[in-house]
Amino acid sequence: MRFSASLKENHVFRRLYTKGESCANRYLVLYCRKNGSQRNRVGLTVSKKLGHAVVRNRIRRRLREVYRLHEAEFLPGYDLVVVARSRAAEASFDALTAAYLSAAAKLHLLRENEQ
């Protein structure tokens, strides 16, 4: 991720859950909040309810790759947290991509010319 960093601190995740905007669809929930910098910070949450470690890591890799491929389309200066839902385990990569980008569009996170 060239223009972004990863989110790892628990207090930042909790702040996003309580004070951030959110958008949900059948595969994921996307939380966002301005961070005051010129970079995006992205965090992923995949619960143990979704399956064993192999399944959870596959979902994480796919979501990270969706963001990486479309990173230039996102506006800078936001903290993003993606929470995977149970249907994400069986979803195709194209379905995850469409869900991720539609949630980002609803939250006005994409550049105007890309929408």
Side-chain angles (χ1 to χ4, degrees), residues 8-113:
K8 296 185 190 275
E9 298 89 19
N10 188 23
H11 68 92
V12 179
F13 277 81
R14 284 183 294 164
R15 185 181 327 133
L16 272 166
Y17 294 146
T18 58
K19 296 183 179 178
E21 295 180 52
S22 66
C23 180
N25 55 41
R26 67 185 331 179
Y27 299 117
L28 52 91
V29 181
L30 179 64
Y31 293 90
C32 73
R33 186 170 190 235
K34 282 196 172 277
N35 64 15
S37 72
Q38 291 302 312
R39 299 183 78 182
N40 285 341
R41 297 189 302 175
V42 181
L44 299 172
T45 302
V46 182
S47 171
K48 284 188 175 183
K49 294 177 186 176
L50 271 62
H52 50 82
V54 173
V55 174
R56 295 193 311 267
N57 287 330
R58 183 184 315 125
I59 296 169
R60 273 190 215 103
R61 282 194 309 269
R62 287 176 156 193
L63 292 173
R64 212 177 298 122
E65 182 68 5
V66 169
Y67 182 80
R68 188 189 70 81
L69 291 173
H70 298 280
E71 184 176 22
E73 298 173 27
F74 282 81
L75 293 170
Y78 284 92
D79 286 343
L80 306 171
V81 170
V82 181
V83 179
R85 288 185 155 180
S86 59
R87 290 184 181 178
E90 298 90 31
S92 68
F93 184 77
D94 293 334
L96 283 177
T97 301
Y100 202 125
L101 294 178
S102 70
K106 287 179 184 175
L107 291 172
H108 308 291
L109 295 174
L110 299 179
R111 298 182 191 274
E112 290 297 322
N113 58 359

